[in-house]
Amino acid sequence: MENTTITTTITARSNGNAERSALMADALRLSGRLRLQVHGESMLPTLWPGDVVEIASCSLEDLRPGEIVLARRDGRLFLHRLVSTCKPDGFLLRGDSLPGSDPQFPAEALLGRLASKADEQRGVSGFGVKWFGARWSRALGMVLCHCGVARRLALKLHSRREASPRNFRNPEQATERGSEGQRSELDSGGLGAL
């Protein structure tokens, strides 16, 4: 089978979360790669809402602590940083802007690792790991975790930074997207397939 990226558009919302995540997991297993759009804020400042990421399938033995991985539990997808592998069979993850680790995942919950971000493919690094480094990114994530004002300010600045190039390229689309911005705020806390 050819190793190609599967691009999927899924419109179902909360009641279809388990089906959506199962479909995405199957697509990743079949093709080896999958593109997703980030909706949550748990990986700030490394990953921002709206970022498009590419996930490559891998095994737990291929991973090192500090890598960002995709896992599935209870019908939800988690794109968090690998803290450690656990013996005999499992691993721990934590979002950069979360105070603690997620509960232990079984080994079969691992779907893949972060292969790239869309802005990295264009050569623009933004305020992520490449700009700060992994340790500084985690430190800034903790500030964003514990300081709501800093988090809101960072998200506001990021949304303006993202909106400016879109408005410049196509001002007609910018006016059409006004209602979409509200929809994306309601959709926080997960991943969506593209």
mmCIF file with all atom_site columns, all heavy atoms in Angstrom, residues 9-10 46-47 63 65 73 92 94 100 105 112 115-116 121 126 129 135-136 138 152 163 168 170 178 190 193-194:
data_model
loop_
_atom_site.group_PDB
_atom_site.id
_atom_site.type_symbol
_atom_site.label_atom_id
_atom_site.label_alt_id
_atom_site.label_comp_id
_atom_site.label_asym_id
_atom_site.label_entity_id
_atom_site.label_seq_id
_atom_site.pdbx_PDB_ins_code
_atom_site.Cartn_x
_atom_site.Cartn_y
_atom_site.Cartn_z
_atom_site.occupancy
_atom_site.B_iso_or_equiv
_atom_site.pdbx_formal_charge
_atom_site.auth_seq_id
_atom_site.auth_comp_id
_atom_site.auth_asym_id
_atom_site.auth_atom_id
_atom_site.pdbx_PDB_model_num
ATOM 1   N N   . THR A 1 9   ? -12.171 15.363 5.925  1.00 0.00 ? 9   THR A N   1
ATOM 2   C CA  . THR A 1 9   ? -12.988 16.428 6.482  1.00 0.00 ? 9   THR A CA  1
ATOM 3   C C   . THR A 1 9   ? -14.149 15.775 7.210  1.00 0.00 ? 9   THR A C   1
ATOM 4   O O   . THR A 1 9   ? -14.900 14.997 6.623  1.00 0.00 ? 9   THR A O   1
ATOM 5   C CB  . THR A 1 9   ? -13.526 17.355 5.382  1.00 0.00 ? 9   THR A CB  1
ATOM 6   O OG1 . THR A 1 9   ? -12.418 17.870 4.660  1.00 0.00 ? 9   THR A OG1 1
ATOM 7   C CG2 . THR A 1 9   ? -14.335 18.494 5.980  1.00 0.00 ? 9   THR A CG2 1
ATOM 8   N N   . ILE A 1 10  ? -14.283 16.087 8.473  1.00 0.00 ? 10  ILE A N   1
ATOM 9   C CA  . ILE A 1 10  ? -15.346 15.515 9.290  1.00 0.00 ? 10  ILE A CA  1
ATOM 10  C C   . ILE A 1 10  ? -16.088 16.658 9.958  1.00 0.00 ? 10  ILE A C   1
ATOM 11  O O   . ILE A 1 10  ? -15.480 17.504 10.598 1.00 0.00 ? 10  ILE A O   1
ATOM 12  C CB  . ILE A 1 10  ? -14.780 14.556 10.338 1.00 0.00 ? 10  ILE A CB  1
ATOM 13  C CG1 . ILE A 1 10  ? -14.023 13.441 9.627  1.00 0.00 ? 10  ILE A CG1 1
ATOM 14  C CG2 . ILE A 1 10  ? -15.872 13.994 11.222 1.00 0.00 ? 10  ILE A CG2 1
ATOM 15  C CD1 . ILE A 1 10  ? -13.273 12.536 10.543 1.00 0.00 ? 10  ILE A CD1 1
ATOM 16  N N   . THR A 1 46  ? 3.943   25.728 22.080 1.00 0.00 ? 46  THR A N   1
ATOM 17  C CA  . THR A 1 46  ? 4.464   24.907 20.987 1.00 0.00 ? 46  THR A CA  1
ATOM 18  C C   . THR A 1 46  ? 3.451   24.763 19.867 1.00 0.00 ? 46  THR A C   1
ATOM 19  O O   . THR A 1 46  ? 3.778   24.925 18.694 1.00 0.00 ? 46  THR A O   1
ATOM 20  C CB  . THR A 1 46  ? 4.873   23.516 21.507 1.00 0.00 ? 46  THR A CB  1
ATOM 21  O OG1 . THR A 1 46  ? 5.744   23.683 22.618 1.00 0.00 ? 46  THR A OG1 1
ATOM 22  C CG2 . THR A 1 46  ? 5.556   22.705 20.436 1.00 0.00 ? 46  THR A CG2 1
ATOM 23  N N   . LEU A 1 47  ? 2.207   24.428 20.224 1.00 0.00 ? 47  LEU A N   1
ATOM 24  C CA  . LEU A 1 47  ? 1.126   24.272 19.253 1.00 0.00 ? 47  LEU A CA  1
ATOM 25  C C   . LEU A 1 47  ? -0.013  25.204 19.647 1.00 0.00 ? 47  LEU A C   1
ATOM 26  O O   . LEU A 1 47  ? -0.410  25.236 20.812 1.00 0.00 ? 47  LEU A O   1
ATOM 27  C CB  . LEU A 1 47  ? 0.628   22.826 19.234 1.00 0.00 ? 47  LEU A CB  1
ATOM 28  C CG  . LEU A 1 47  ? 1.650   21.764 18.835 1.00 0.00 ? 47  LEU A CG  1
ATOM 29  C CD1 . LEU A 1 47  ? 1.068   20.369 19.017 1.00 0.00 ? 47  LEU A CD1 1
ATOM 30  C CD2 . LEU A 1 47  ? 2.123   21.966 17.410 1.00 0.00 ? 47  LEU A CD2 1
ATOM 31  N N   . LEU A 1 63  ? 10.210  6.136  20.208 1.00 0.00 ? 63  LEU A N   1
ATOM 32  C CA  . LEU A 1 63  ? 10.054  7.464  20.805 1.00 0.00 ? 63  LEU A CA  1
ATOM 33  C C   . LEU A 1 63  ? 11.058  7.748  21.908 1.00 0.00 ? 63  LEU A C   1
ATOM 34  O O   . LEU A 1 63  ? 11.525  6.839  22.587 1.00 0.00 ? 63  LEU A O   1
ATOM 35  C CB  . LEU A 1 63  ? 8.644   7.609  21.376 1.00 0.00 ? 63  LEU A CB  1
ATOM 36  C CG  . LEU A 1 63  ? 7.504   7.529  20.364 1.00 0.00 ? 63  LEU A CG  1
ATOM 37  C CD1 . LEU A 1 63  ? 6.171   7.508  21.084 1.00 0.00 ? 63  LEU A CD1 1
ATOM 38  C CD2 . LEU A 1 63  ? 7.576   8.689  19.391 1.00 0.00 ? 63  LEU A CD2 1
ATOM 39  N N   . PRO A 1 65  ? 11.587  10.587 25.302 1.00 0.00 ? 65  PRO A N   1
ATOM 40  C CA  . PRO A 1 65  ? 10.903  11.617 26.098 1.00 0.00 ? 65  PRO A CA  1
ATOM 41  C C   . PRO A 1 65  ? 11.159  13.006 25.506 1.00 0.00 ? 65  PRO A C   1
ATOM 42  O O   . PRO A 1 65  ? 12.255  13.301 25.037 1.00 0.00 ? 65  PRO A O   1
ATOM 43  C CB  . PRO A 1 65  ? 11.543  11.474 27.481 1.00 0.00 ? 65  PRO A CB  1
ATOM 44  C CG  . PRO A 1 65  ? 11.956  10.035 27.540 1.00 0.00 ? 65  PRO A CG  1
ATOM 45  C CD  . PRO A 1 65  ? 12.414  9.709  26.129 1.00 0.00 ? 65  PRO A CD  1
ATOM 46  N N   . ARG A 1 73  ? -7.704  7.906  23.766 1.00 0.00 ? 73  ARG A N   1
ATOM 47  C CA  . ARG A 1 73  ? -8.288  7.282  24.950 1.00 0.00 ? 73  ARG A CA  1
ATOM 48  C C   . ARG A 1 73  ? -9.735  7.760  25.085 1.00 0.00 ? 73  ARG A C   1
ATOM 49  O O   . ARG A 1 73  ? -10.014 8.933  24.937 1.00 0.00 ? 73  ARG A O   1
ATOM 50  C CB  . ARG A 1 73  ? -7.518  7.669  26.207 1.00 0.00 ? 73  ARG A CB  1
ATOM 51  C CG  . ARG A 1 73  ? -8.161  7.049  27.427 1.00 0.00 ? 73  ARG A CG  1
ATOM 52  C CD  . ARG A 1 73  ? -7.659  7.423  28.789 1.00 0.00 ? 73  ARG A CD  1
ATOM 53  N NE  . ARG A 1 73  ? -6.719  8.473  28.913 1.00 0.00 ? 73  ARG A NE  1
ATOM 54  C CZ  . ARG A 1 73  ? -5.568  8.353  29.579 1.00 0.00 ? 73  ARG A CZ  1
ATOM 55  N NH1 . ARG A 1 73  ? -5.227  7.215  30.139 1.00 0.00 ? 73  ARG A NH1 1
ATOM 56  N NH2 . ARG A 1 73  ? -4.768  9.382  29.691 1.00 0.00 ? 73  ARG A NH2 1
ATOM 57  N N   . LEU A 1 92  ? 3.444   7.971  29.662 1.00 0.00 ? 92  LEU A N   1
ATOM 58  C CA  . LEU A 1 92  ? 2.860   9.175  30.262 1.00 0.00 ? 92  LEU A CA  1
ATOM 59  C C   . LEU A 1 92  ? 3.033   10.347 29.306 1.00 0.00 ? 92  LEU A C   1
ATOM 60  O O   . LEU A 1 92  ? 4.091   10.508 28.694 1.00 0.00 ? 92  LEU A O   1
ATOM 61  C CB  . LEU A 1 92  ? 3.541   9.524  31.589 1.00 0.00 ? 92  LEU A CB  1
ATOM 62  C CG  . LEU A 1 92  ? 3.238   8.636  32.777 1.00 0.00 ? 92  LEU A CG  1
ATOM 63  C CD1 . LEU A 1 92  ? 4.085   9.066  33.975 1.00 0.00 ? 92  LEU A CD1 1
ATOM 64  C CD2 . LEU A 1 92  ? 1.763   8.690  33.133 1.00 0.00 ? 92  LEU A CD2 1
ATOM 65  N N   . ARG A 1 94  ? 2.077   14.771 28.790 1.00 0.00 ? 94  ARG A N   1
ATOM 66  C CA  . ARG A 1 94  ? 1.681   16.009 29.467 1.00 0.00 ? 94  ARG A CA  1
ATOM 67  C C   . ARG A 1 94  ? 1.666   17.127 28.435 1.00 0.00 ? 94  ARG A C   1
ATOM 68  O O   . ARG A 1 94  ? 2.579   17.257 27.623 1.00 0.00 ? 94  ARG A O   1
ATOM 69  C CB  . ARG A 1 94  ? 2.663   16.354 30.572 1.00 0.00 ? 94  ARG A CB  1
ATOM 70  C CG  . ARG A 1 94  ? 2.315   17.678 31.264 1.00 0.00 ? 94  ARG A CG  1
ATOM 71  C CD  . ARG A 1 94  ? 3.174   17.987 32.450 1.00 0.00 ? 94  ARG A CD  1
ATOM 72  N NE  . ARG A 1 94  ? 4.582   18.024 32.088 1.00 0.00 ? 94  ARG A NE  1
ATOM 73  C CZ  . ARG A 1 94  ? 5.563   17.811 32.956 1.00 0.00 ? 94  ARG A CZ  1
ATOM 74  N NH1 . ARG A 1 94  ? 5.305   17.543 34.210 1.00 0.00 ? 94  ARG A NH1 1
ATOM 75  N NH2 . ARG A 1 94  ? 6.809   17.869 32.567 1.00 0.00 ? 94  ARG A NH2 1
ATOM 76  N N   . GLY A 1 100 ? 0.078   19.081 35.241 1.00 0.00 ? 100 GLY A N   1
ATOM 77  C CA  . GLY A 1 100 ? 0.556   17.734 35.538 1.00 0.00 ? 100 GLY A CA  1
ATOM 78  C C   . GLY A 1 100 ? 0.387   16.798 34.361 1.00 0.00 ? 100 GLY A C   1
ATOM 79  O O   . GLY A 1 100 ? -0.183  17.150 33.330 1.00 0.00 ? 100 GLY A O   1
ATOM 80  N N   . PHE A 1 105 ? -1.248  6.005  29.785 1.00 0.00 ? 105 PHE A N   1
ATOM 81  C CA  . PHE A 1 105 ? -1.872  5.433  28.592 1.00 0.00 ? 105 PHE A CA  1
ATOM 82  C C   . PHE A 1 105 ? -1.327  4.030  28.395 1.00 0.00 ? 105 PHE A C   1
ATOM 83  O O   . PHE A 1 105 ? -0.135  3.790  28.611 1.00 0.00 ? 105 PHE A O   1
ATOM 84  C CB  . PHE A 1 105 ? -1.510  6.245  27.338 1.00 0.00 ? 105 PHE A CB  1
ATOM 85  C CG  . PHE A 1 105 ? -2.202  7.559  27.207 1.00 0.00 ? 105 PHE A CG  1
ATOM 86  C CD1 . PHE A 1 105 ? -1.716  8.684  27.850 1.00 0.00 ? 105 PHE A CD1 1
ATOM 87  C CD2 . PHE A 1 105 ? -3.336  7.690  26.421 1.00 0.00 ? 105 PHE A CD2 1
ATOM 88  C CE1 . PHE A 1 105 ? -2.335  9.908  27.720 1.00 0.00 ? 105 PHE A CE1 1
ATOM 89  C CE2 . PHE A 1 105 ? -3.966  8.911  26.278 1.00 0.00 ? 105 PHE A CE2 1
ATOM 90  C CZ  . PHE A 1 105 ? -3.461  10.021 26.926 1.00 0.00 ? 105 PHE A CZ  1
ATOM 91  N N   . GLY A 1 112 ? 0.863   7.851  16.906 1.00 0.00 ? 112 GLY A N   1
ATOM 92  C CA  . GLY A 1 112 ? 1.976   8.351  16.106 1.00 0.00 ? 112 GLY A CA  1
ATOM 93  C C   . GLY A 1 112 ? 2.667   9.522  16.775 1.00 0.00 ? 112 GLY A C   1
ATOM 94  O O   . GLY A 1 112 ? 2.344   9.893  17.898 1.00 0.00 ? 112 GLY A O   1
ATOM 95  N N   . ALA A 1 115 ? 5.234   14.850 13.103 1.00 0.00 ? 115 ALA A N   1
ATOM 96  C CA  . ALA A 1 115 ? 6.253   14.846 12.057 1.00 0.00 ? 115 ALA A CA  1
ATOM 97  C C   . ALA A 1 115 ? 6.592   16.272 11.629 1.00 0.00 ? 115 ALA A C   1
ATOM 98  O O   . ALA A 1 115 ? 7.760   16.588 11.387 1.00 0.00 ? 115 ALA A O   1
ATOM 99  C CB  . ALA A 1 115 ? 5.778   14.037 10.855 1.00 0.00 ? 115 ALA A CB  1
ATOM 100 N N   . SER A 1 116 ? 5.572   17.134 11.540 1.00 0.00 ? 116 SER A N   1
ATOM 101 C CA  . SER A 1 116 ? 5.815   18.520 11.146 1.00 0.00 ? 116 SER A CA  1
ATOM 102 C C   . SER A 1 116 ? 4.580   19.362 11.419 1.00 0.00 ? 116 SER A C   1
ATOM 103 O O   . SER A 1 116 ? 3.489   18.850 11.637 1.00 0.00 ? 116 SER A O   1
ATOM 104 C CB  . SER A 1 116 ? 6.180   18.609 9.660  1.00 0.00 ? 116 SER A CB  1
ATOM 105 O OG  . SER A 1 116 ? 5.075   18.215 8.870  1.00 0.00 ? 116 SER A OG  1
ATOM 106 N N   . GLN A 1 121 ? 6.847   23.755 7.457  1.00 0.00 ? 121 GLN A N   1
ATOM 107 C CA  . GLN A 1 121 ? 7.041   23.395 6.062  1.00 0.00 ? 121 GLN A CA  1
ATOM 108 C C   . GLN A 1 121 ? 7.221   24.641 5.207  1.00 0.00 ? 121 GLN A C   1
ATOM 109 O O   . GLN A 1 121 ? 7.893   24.623 4.199  1.00 0.00 ? 121 GLN A O   1
ATOM 110 C CB  . GLN A 1 121 ? 5.856   22.566 5.556  1.00 0.00 ? 121 GLN A CB  1
ATOM 111 C CG  . GLN A 1 121 ? 5.783   21.216 6.226  1.00 0.00 ? 121 GLN A CG  1
ATOM 112 C CD  . GLN A 1 121 ? 4.474   20.505 5.956  1.00 0.00 ? 121 GLN A CD  1
ATOM 113 O OE1 . GLN A 1 121 ? 3.553   21.045 5.354  1.00 0.00 ? 121 GLN A OE1 1
ATOM 114 N NE2 . GLN A 1 121 ? 4.384   19.268 6.417  1.00 0.00 ? 121 GLN A NE2 1
ATOM 115 N N   . GLY A 1 126 ? 7.394   30.649 14.083 1.00 0.00 ? 126 GLY A N   1
ATOM 116 C CA  . GLY A 1 126 ? 6.466   31.175 15.078 1.00 0.00 ? 126 GLY A CA  1
ATOM 117 C C   . GLY A 1 126 ? 7.055   31.117 16.474 1.00 0.00 ? 126 GLY A C   1
ATOM 118 O O   . GLY A 1 126 ? 8.260   31.109 16.664 1.00 0.00 ? 126 GLY A O   1
ATOM 119 N N   . VAL A 1 129 ? 8.744   25.561 19.649 1.00 0.00 ? 129 VAL A N   1
ATOM 120 C CA  . VAL A 1 129 ? 9.970   24.961 20.153 1.00 0.00 ? 129 VAL A CA  1
ATOM 121 C C   . VAL A 1 129 ? 11.194  25.477 19.411 1.00 0.00 ? 129 VAL A C   1
ATOM 122 O O   . VAL A 1 129 ? 12.231  25.724 20.010 1.00 0.00 ? 129 VAL A O   1
ATOM 123 C CB  . VAL A 1 129 ? 9.876   23.420 20.067 1.00 0.00 ? 129 VAL A CB  1
ATOM 124 C CG1 . VAL A 1 129 ? 11.196  22.773 20.403 1.00 0.00 ? 129 VAL A CG1 1
ATOM 125 C CG2 . VAL A 1 129 ? 8.801   22.929 21.001 1.00 0.00 ? 129 VAL A CG2 1
ATOM 126 N N   . ARG A 1 135 ? 12.953  23.456 26.500 1.00 0.00 ? 135 ARG A N   1
ATOM 127 C CA  . ARG A 1 135 ? 12.848  23.816 27.930 1.00 0.00 ? 135 ARG A CA  1
ATOM 128 C C   . ARG A 1 135 ? 12.152  25.149 28.117 1.00 0.00 ? 135 ARG A C   1
ATOM 129 O O   . ARG A 1 135 ? 11.329  25.310 29.008 1.00 0.00 ? 135 ARG A O   1
ATOM 130 C CB  . ARG A 1 135 ? 14.228  23.841 28.565 1.00 0.00 ? 135 ARG A CB  1
ATOM 131 C CG  . ARG A 1 135 ? 14.772  22.472 28.808 1.00 0.00 ? 135 ARG A CG  1
ATOM 132 C CD  . ARG A 1 135 ? 16.002  22.513 29.702 1.00 0.00 ? 135 ARG A CD  1
ATOM 133 N NE  . ARG A 1 135 ? 16.424  21.183 30.008 1.00 0.00 ? 135 ARG A NE  1
ATOM 134 C CZ  . ARG A 1 135 ? 17.515  20.613 29.528 1.00 0.00 ? 135 ARG A CZ  1
ATOM 135 N NH1 . ARG A 1 135 ? 18.299  21.277 28.713 1.00 0.00 ? 135 ARG A NH1 1
ATOM 136 N NH2 . ARG A 1 135 ? 17.821  19.389 29.861 1.00 0.00 ? 135 ARG A NH2 1
ATOM 137 N N   . TRP A 1 136 ? 12.498  26.149 27.288 1.00 0.00 ? 136 TRP A N   1
ATOM 138 C CA  . TRP A 1 136 ? 11.851  27.452 27.410 1.00 0.00 ? 136 TRP A CA  1
ATOM 139 C C   . TRP A 1 136 ? 10.385  27.365 27.007 1.00 0.00 ? 136 TRP A C   1
ATOM 140 O O   . TRP A 1 136 ? 9.539   28.057 27.573 1.00 0.00 ? 136 TRP A O   1
ATOM 141 C CB  . TRP A 1 136 ? 12.584  28.497 26.572 1.00 0.00 ? 136 TRP A CB  1
ATOM 142 C CG  . TRP A 1 136 ? 13.837  28.948 27.233 1.00 0.00 ? 136 TRP A CG  1
ATOM 143 C CD1 . TRP A 1 136 ? 15.115  28.627 26.874 1.00 0.00 ? 136 TRP A CD1 1
ATOM 144 C CD2 . TRP A 1 136 ? 13.942  29.765 28.396 1.00 0.00 ? 136 TRP A CD2 1
ATOM 145 N NE1 . TRP A 1 136 ? 16.006  29.203 27.742 1.00 0.00 ? 136 TRP A NE1 1
ATOM 146 C CE2 . TRP A 1 136 ? 15.305  29.916 28.690 1.00 0.00 ? 136 TRP A CE2 1
ATOM 147 C CE3 . TRP A 1 136 ? 13.007  30.385 29.231 1.00 0.00 ? 136 TRP A CE3 1
ATOM 148 C CZ2 . TRP A 1 136 ? 15.765  30.664 29.762 1.00 0.00 ? 136 TRP A CZ2 1
ATOM 149 C CZ3 . TRP A 1 136 ? 13.469  31.130 30.294 1.00 0.00 ? 136 TRP A CZ3 1
ATOM 150 C CH2 . TRP A 1 136 ? 14.827  31.260 30.551 1.00 0.00 ? 136 TRP A CH2 1
ATOM 151 N N   . ARG A 1 138 ? 8.428   24.796 27.459 1.00 0.00 ? 138 ARG A N   1
ATOM 152 C CA  . ARG A 1 138 ? 7.735   24.210 28.621 1.00 0.00 ? 138 ARG A CA  1
ATOM 153 C C   . ARG A 1 138 ? 7.588   25.242 29.736 1.00 0.00 ? 138 ARG A C   1
ATOM 154 O O   . ARG A 1 138 ? 6.553   25.337 30.383 1.00 0.00 ? 138 ARG A O   1
ATOM 155 C CB  . ARG A 1 138 ? 8.503   22.971 29.112 1.00 0.00 ? 138 ARG A CB  1
ATOM 156 C CG  . ARG A 1 138 ? 7.940   22.334 30.339 1.00 0.00 ? 138 ARG A CG  1
ATOM 157 C CD  . ARG A 1 138 ? 6.679   21.529 30.059 1.00 0.00 ? 138 ARG A CD  1
ATOM 158 N NE  . ARG A 1 138 ? 6.196   20.975 31.310 1.00 0.00 ? 138 ARG A NE  1
ATOM 159 C CZ  . ARG A 1 138 ? 4.964   21.098 31.738 1.00 0.00 ? 138 ARG A CZ  1
ATOM 160 N NH1 . ARG A 1 138 ? 4.061   21.684 31.014 1.00 0.00 ? 138 ARG A NH1 1
ATOM 161 N NH2 . ARG A 1 138 ? 4.600   20.587 32.888 1.00 0.00 ? 138 ARG A NH2 1
ATOM 162 N N   . ARG A 1 152 ? -4.734  34.532 27.973 1.00 0.00 ? 152 ARG A N   1
ATOM 163 C CA  . ARG A 1 152 ? -5.684  35.258 27.119 1.00 0.00 ? 152 ARG A CA  1
ATOM 164 C C   . ARG A 1 152 ? -4.961  36.246 26.209 1.00 0.00 ? 152 ARG A C   1
ATOM 165 O O   . ARG A 1 152 ? -5.301  36.376 25.035 1.00 0.00 ? 152 ARG A O   1
ATOM 166 C CB  . ARG A 1 152 ? -6.731  35.966 27.971 1.00 0.00 ? 152 ARG A CB  1
ATOM 167 C CG  . ARG A 1 152 ? -7.751  34.996 28.586 1.00 0.00 ? 152 ARG A CG  1
ATOM 168 C CD  . ARG A 1 152 ? -8.909  35.719 29.243 1.00 0.00 ? 152 ARG A CD  1
ATOM 169 N NE  . ARG A 1 152 ? -8.512  36.583 30.349 1.00 0.00 ? 152 ARG A NE  1
ATOM 170 C CZ  . ARG A 1 152 ? -8.303  36.173 31.597 1.00 0.00 ? 152 ARG A CZ  1
ATOM 171 N NH1 . ARG A 1 152 ? -8.475  34.904 31.905 1.00 0.00 ? 152 ARG A NH1 1
ATOM 172 N NH2 . ARG A 1 152 ? -7.951  37.020 32.536 1.00 0.00 ? 152 ARG A NH2 1
ATOM 173 N N   . ALA A 1 163 ? -4.728  36.334 11.732 1.00 0.00 ? 163 ALA A N   1
ATOM 174 C CA  . ALA A 1 163 ? -5.759  36.987 10.923 1.00 0.00 ? 163 ALA A CA  1
ATOM 175 C C   . ALA A 1 163 ? -5.141  37.971 9.934  1.00 0.00 ? 163 ALA A C   1
ATOM 176 O O   . ALA A 1 163 ? -5.634  38.119 8.821  1.00 0.00 ? 163 ALA A O   1
ATOM 177 C CB  . ALA A 1 163 ? -6.760  37.690 11.818 1.00 0.00 ? 163 ALA A CB  1
ATOM 178 N N   . PHE A 1 168 ? -4.924  40.220 4.464  1.00 0.00 ? 168 PHE A N   1
ATOM 179 C CA  . PHE A 1 168 ? -4.118  40.840 3.440  1.00 0.00 ? 168 PHE A CA  1
ATOM 180 C C   . PHE A 1 168 ? -4.265  40.100 2.110  1.00 0.00 ? 168 PHE A C   1
ATOM 181 O O   . PHE A 1 168 ? -4.370  40.702 1.062  1.00 0.00 ? 168 PHE A O   1
ATOM 182 C CB  . PHE A 1 168 ? -2.650  40.865 3.880  1.00 0.00 ? 168 PHE A CB  1
ATOM 183 C CG  . PHE A 1 168 ? -1.751  41.523 2.878  1.00 0.00 ? 168 PHE A CG  1
ATOM 184 C CD1 . PHE A 1 168 ? -1.778  42.899 2.715  1.00 0.00 ? 168 PHE A CD1 1
ATOM 185 C CD2 . PHE A 1 168 ? -0.893  40.770 2.099  1.00 0.00 ? 168 PHE A CD2 1
ATOM 186 C CE1 . PHE A 1 168 ? -0.958  43.507 1.792  1.00 0.00 ? 168 PHE A CE1 1
ATOM 187 C CE2 . PHE A 1 168 ? -0.063  41.374 1.177  1.00 0.00 ? 168 PHE A CE2 1
ATOM 188 C CZ  . PHE A 1 168 ? -0.096  42.752 1.011  1.00 0.00 ? 168 PHE A CZ  1
ATOM 189 N N   . ASN A 1 170 ? -6.791  38.009 1.079  1.00 0.00 ? 170 ASN A N   1
ATOM 190 C CA  . ASN A 1 170 ? -8.125  37.966 0.514  1.00 0.00 ? 170 ASN A CA  1
ATOM 191 C C   . ASN A 1 170 ? -9.107  38.674 1.441  1.00 0.00 ? 170 ASN A C   1
ATOM 192 O O   . ASN A 1 170 ? -9.739  38.037 2.273  1.00 0.00 ? 170 ASN A O   1
ATOM 193 C CB  . ASN A 1 170 ? -8.548  36.517 0.275  1.00 0.00 ? 170 ASN A CB  1
ATOM 194 C CG  . ASN A 1 170 ? -9.766  36.433 -0.622 1.00 0.00 ? 170 ASN A CG  1
ATOM 195 O OD1 . ASN A 1 170 ? -10.449 37.416 -0.855 1.00 0.00 ? 170 ASN A OD1 1
ATOM 196 N ND2 . ASN A 1 170 ? -10.027 35.237 -1.118 1.00 0.00 ? 170 ASN A ND2 1
ATOM 197 N N   . GLY A 1 178 ? -16.014 35.919 9.673  1.00 0.00 ? 178 GLY A N   1
ATOM 198 C CA  . GLY A 1 178 ? -16.377 36.478 10.964 1.00 0.00 ? 178 GLY A CA  1
ATOM 199 C C   . GLY A 1 178 ? -17.144 35.506 11.831 1.00 0.00 ? 178 GLY A C   1
ATOM 200 O O   . GLY A 1 178 ? -16.859 35.337 13.014 1.00 0.00 ? 178 GLY A O   1
ATOM 201 N N   . GLY A 1 190 ? -9.609  19.972 21.357 1.00 0.00 ? 190 GLY A N   1
ATOM 202 C CA  . GLY A 1 190 ? -9.466  18.727 20.627 1.00 0.00 ? 190 GLY A CA  1
ATOM 203 C C   . GLY A 1 190 ? -8.720  18.919 19.335 1.00 0.00 ? 190 GLY A C   1
ATOM 204 O O   . GLY A 1 190 ? -8.091  19.926 19.097 1.00 0.00 ? 190 GLY A O   1
ATOM 205 N N   . ALA A 1 193 ? -9.610  16.501 11.946 1.00 0.00 ? 193 ALA A N   1
ATOM 206 C CA  . ALA A 1 193 ? -8.929  16.050 10.735 1.00 0.00 ? 193 ALA A CA  1
ATOM 207 C C   . ALA A 1 193 ? -9.164  17.037 9.631  1.00 0.00 ? 193 ALA A C   1
ATOM 208 O O   . ALA A 1 193 ? -10.185 17.681 9.565  1.00 0.00 ? 193 ALA A O   1
ATOM 209 C CB  . ALA A 1 193 ? -9.444  14.671 10.327 1.00 0.00 ? 193 ALA A CB  1
ATOM 210 N N   . LEU A 1 194 ? -8.188  17.146 8.761  1.00 0.00 ? 194 LEU A N   1
ATOM 211 C CA  . LEU A 1 194 ? -8.324  18.005 7.583  1.00 0.00 ? 194 LEU A CA  1
ATOM 212 C C   . LEU A 1 194 ? -8.540  17.169 6.359  1.00 0.00 ? 194 LEU A C   1
ATOM 213 O O   . LEU A 1 194 ? -8.069  16.115 6.210  1.00 0.00 ? 194 LEU A O   1
ATOM 214 C CB  . LEU A 1 194 ? -7.051  18.840 7.386  1.00 0.00 ? 194 LEU A CB  1
ATOM 215 C CG  . LEU A 1 194 ? -6.826  19.875 8.451  1.00 0.00 ? 194 LEU A CG  1
ATOM 216 C CD1 . LEU A 1 194 ? -5.548  20.630 8.166  1.00 0.00 ? 194 LEU A CD1 1
ATOM 217 C CD2 . LEU A 1 194 ? -7.971  20.847 8.496  1.00 0.00 ? 194 LEU A CD2 1
#
